[in-house]
Amino acid sequence: MGASNSVDEFFEYRVEYCHIGSEFTSDRHFTARDVNHALSMFEFARRKDDMKVDIKKVERWNRWADRWEEESIVALEEISEVKL
């Protein structure tokens, strides 16, 4: 007892976006280690479905406070740099 496991912690992320030319907002949920991992999964889904979108915000579920918390805008700017 007392031995710690080096297990990654995962979080739930919600990516809110609009299709280009539409005002209708959609969202997709991802379970990931960090915001960059969630954005890379969103980018994969976007390319697979050939979607042209504007990301409005990315939020992480805070299970202790029972609420969504917005991720920093800096992380959103990094989506173009995410490599699959």
Side-chain angles (χ1 to χ4, degrees):
M1 281 180 62
S4 64
N5 294 338
S6 61
V7 177
D8 289 336
E9 186 171 3
F10 286 83
F11 302 96
E12 183 176 356
Y13 290 90
R14 176 170 64 185
V15 179
E16 190 174 296
Y17 63 95
C18 290
H19 289 273
I20 302 279
S22 173
E23 303 254 340
F24 182 72
T25 303
S26 301
D27 61 44
R28 289 205 178 178
H29 294 249
F30 301 94
T31 301
R33 291 182 300 274
D34 57 43
V35 68
N36 289 328
H37 187 218
L39 288 172
S40 70
M41 288 189 286
F42 178 79
E43 181 66 8
F44 176 80
R46 185 196 68 74
R47 287 182 187 175
K48 180 180 168 277
D49 295 340
D50 195 29
M51 298 186 309
K52 305 217 180 337
V53 300
D54 285 327
I55 295 177
K56 299 301 181 186
K57 63 183 171 180
V58 177
E59 298 171 305
R60 183 174 75 179
W61 179 249
N62 182 332
R63 63 181 177 259
W64 309 115
D66 196 30
R67 67 174 180 241
W68 289 101
E69 296 177 347
E70 194 164 348
E71 289 291 305
S72 71
I73 197 72
V74 173
L76 292 177
E77 293 170 358
E78 294 173 0
I79 191 167
S80 62
E81 300 171 14
V82 172
K83 304 289 186 225
L84 296 176

